[in-house]
Amino acid sequence: MDVQEIADRLEITDLLARYSRAVDSGEWDLLDEVFSPEAVIDYRSAGGIRGGLAEVKSWLAEVLPHWPGRLHLIGAPRIVLTGDEARVSAPFTDTLAPTRDMAAADAKGFLHGGGWYHHRLRRTSGGWRSQELVEEQSWRTAR
C-alpha cells in the first residue's frame, strides 16, 4: 500500500464517520460533506425512500426526530479503490430510541437493526464524496 492509498482509506473511513454523526445528531447539512450534490440515496430496504440528497435530507429531518436517541455503528469497511473511484461496503448496526432518557430494557418504541451500507464514491476537489448509497437492511427488531 502506498501513501496515497493509505490517505484515501483514512479519508473514506472519516466520510463514514461523518455520515453516522450526521444521522445520529440531526446535523443534516453535514451530509453535504458525505454526498455529492447529485448523489442518489436508497433506503428502501429499510422502509425508507430513494431520492436525491436534498429530498433525503428533508425526509430524514421529518422522520428521525421520532427517535431522538439514535446510534449507528459502522464496522470495518471493505474499500476497493480504482483511481478516483471507490466501492465501499460496510456493515452497520443501529438503534433508534424514543427517548434520550433512561428507559427500561423492555420499554416500547425501540428499533434495532443492521445490514450493509454500499457506497459508490468519487474523488472530488473537496475530497471523497458518495455518488450513491444503497442501504441493505439485513434485520430489524422493534419493541
Side-chain angles (χ1 to χ4, degrees):
M1 219 179 290
D2 65 14
V3 172
Q4 182 61 57
E5 183 176 351
I6 292 168
D8 288 339
R9 289 176 179 279
L10 287 171
E11 185 177 343
I12 289 168
T13 301
D14 188 58
L15 177 142
L16 297 173
R18 283 193 311 273
Y19 172 81
S20 290
R21 174 68 186 174
V23 171
D24 291 344
S25 69
E27 297 174 49
W28 310 121
D29 288 338
L30 189 55
L31 292 172
D32 297 338
E33 298 177 24
V34 174
F35 295 100
S36 64
E38 70 280 358
V40 175
I41 303 161
D42 187 346
Y43 292 128
R44 292 178 296 179
S45 75
I49 67 168
R50 179 182 186 274
L53 179 57
E55 179 183 11
V56 167
K57 283 171 58 176
S58 177
W59 178 77
L60 289 171
E62 178 184 329
V63 171
L64 287 183
H66 296 287
W67 295 277
R70 299 186 293 270
L71 181 64
H72 285 73
L73 300 175
I74 297 180
R78 180 172 187 265
I79 301 169
V80 178
L81 292 160
T82 309
D84 290 337
E85 296 187 353
R87 297 281 181 164
V88 177
S89 289
F92 76 90
T93 185
D94 63 10
T95 298
L96 304 176
T99 181
R100 287 181 165 226
D101 297 326
M102 180 70 76
D106 61 350
K108 301 288 184 195
F110 282 84
L111 296 177
H112 302 280
W116 294 87
Y117 288 130
H118 303 289
H119 286 272
R120 186 174 48 83
L121 304 176
R122 178 176 298 281
R123 185 193 320 269
T124 71
S125 60
W128 286 95
R129 295 292 183 267
S130 180
Q131 305 287 107
E132 177 183 47
L133 166 62
V134 175
E135 179 179 343
E136 179 188 346
Q137 184 83 48
S138 299
W139 62 277
R140 175 72 65 199
T141 63
R143 270 193 228 166

